[in-house]
Amino acid sequence: MSKEDWYRNTEWNDQIESEFESRLKRSRGNYNKAQYLRIQASYLLDSKKSSIQEKGIEFMERLINSYPEEEFSTIHGIEQLGDFYLKKKIFDQAEKHFRKVAEYYYTETRSGTSGLADLKLCETILKSEQTKKFEEAYKIATEKFNATGGSLMMNSDKYYYADLMANLCYKMNRKDEASEFAQSAMELSKITEPQFNRHKTVGIVKVVKEKIERLKRIME
């Protein structure tokens, strides 16, 4: 086992868990313990096996509850749980976790996260069709996003924002705004050149045909 393999397991059983717990116990300081726990939880959450995913949830919640002072790791872990639940369409849990990260943005900083958790909160509200919260989502994605240092550097993030806002505005009957955002998303989807010569895939927009067709309908 290499120096880092012990906290990057993709499979899980009693023997692996025993070895992980033993090494975690011997690791120095809460900063390292929290970091190792979050990284291992991340690998388990990415598994296709539900039993392993459940262990990932357990570890991430353990990180959050046992090391609250290690904010860099815990706030990242909370967002990762939000991502997991959103992917699973467990919208109430996704919303709960993204709200915690958004509140952190408002009182602290966006550092230690993707910087987009408040937009993911808006996406969750939109996908779960909580129409009574659409106005709140719009405000979060515009006024609050700008006021708390929200930024979009990658073309992929700019596309994500434009697509999100196109769909949200369309649902809110803000048709002119929706059309403008849809046009922006369409233009961004045509960019095929990498933003960084040394990182050919960073920032590249990945979009499926169904999304393009929807954007075209919004633009009409």
Side-chain angles (χ1 to χ4, degrees):
M1 181 178 291
S2 74
K3 185 177 179 180
E4 297 182 349
D5 283 349
W6 71 271
Y7 58 89
R8 298 180 186 275
N9 296 287
T10 56
E11 292 295 330
W12 203 255
N13 55 42
D14 290 344
Q15 182 178 348
I16 294 172
E17 182 162 7
S18 178
E19 175 69 14
F20 173 79
E21 293 291 353
S22 178
R23 292 204 179 204
L24 184 67
K25 186 176 181 179
R26 296 199 304 270
S27 61
R28 292 185 177 181
N30 287 351
Y31 173 85
N32 289 321
K33 285 182 169 64
Q35 187 177 50
Y36 296 149
L37 199 54
R38 188 195 63 77
I39 293 172
Q40 181 58 80
S42 302
Y43 277 88
L44 299 180
L45 287 175
D46 284 341
S47 175
K48 294 182 179 179
K49 300 177 182 178
S50 59
S51 59
I52 295 180
Q53 290 172 356
E54 288 172 4
K55 179 59 69 171
I57 294 171
E58 177 187 321
F59 276 6
M60 204 67 89
E61 290 180 343
R62 177 175 160 191
L63 156 70
I64 295 163
N65 294 325
S66 298
Y67 303 100
E69 74 284 358
E70 298 299 333
E71 291 184 342
F72 185 85
S73 288
T74 56
I75 201 66
H76 192 173
I78 292 169
E79 182 179 7
Q80 286 182 282
L81 279 178
D83 291 335
F84 173 80
Y85 287 124
L86 179 57
K87 186 177 180 180
K88 288 285 188 179
K89 298 183 179 180
I90 306 175
F91 295 123
D92 59 334
Q93 286 297 317
E95 180 177 350
K96 171 186 172 183
H97 287 82
F98 289 142
R99 280 193 184 278
K100 288 181 179 179
V101 185
E103 287 301 321
Y104 187 78
Y105 292 170
Y106 303 154
T107 60
E108 302 293 337
T109 178
R110 290 177 182 266
S111 297
T113 74
S114 68
L116 304 174
D118 45 356
L119 301 183
K120 295 175 185 177
L121 170 59
C122 298
E123 180 187 357
T124 303
I125 290 171
L126 179 63
K127 286 186 173 179
S128 56
E129 298 182 356
Q130 298 182 70
T131 56
K132 292 182 179 179
K133 295 181 181 178
F134 283 176
E135 284 288 349
E136 178 196 12
Y138 181 87
K139 184 175 181 180
I140 289 171
T142 53
E143 295 176 30
K144 288 190 174 182
F145 185 73
N146 294 326
T148 55
S151 63
L152 303 164
M153 295 182 63
M154 300 293 105
N155 287 331
S156 53
D157 292 340
K158 292 176 182 177
Y159 170 81
Y160 171 71
Y161 182 81
D163 178 73
L164 170 65
M165 294 305 292
N167 283 280
L168 179 60
C169 289
Y170 190 78
K171 288 278 190 178
M172 296 174 69
N173 206 33
R174 293 174 174 261
K175 298 297 176 63
D176 289 342
E177 281 185 82
S179 181
E180 290 177 9
F181 279 118
Q183 178 65 45
S184 178
M186 288 290 289
E187 292 302 316
L188 287 162
S189 72
K190 297 174 184 177
I191 299 174
T192 57
E193 293 297 318
Q195 287 182 261
F196 306 101
N197 291 332
R198 294 184 179 181
H199 305 280
K200 300 297 184 181
T201 60
V202 174
I204 294 294
V205 177
K206 298 177 182 179
V207 59
V208 296
K209 182 179 178 181
E210 291 78 6
K211 282 198 171 186
I212 292 295
E213 293 302 318
R214 178 160 180 78
L215 289 170
K216 288 179 179 178
R217 291 196 297 271
I218 292 174
M219 288 168 57
E220 292 175 354

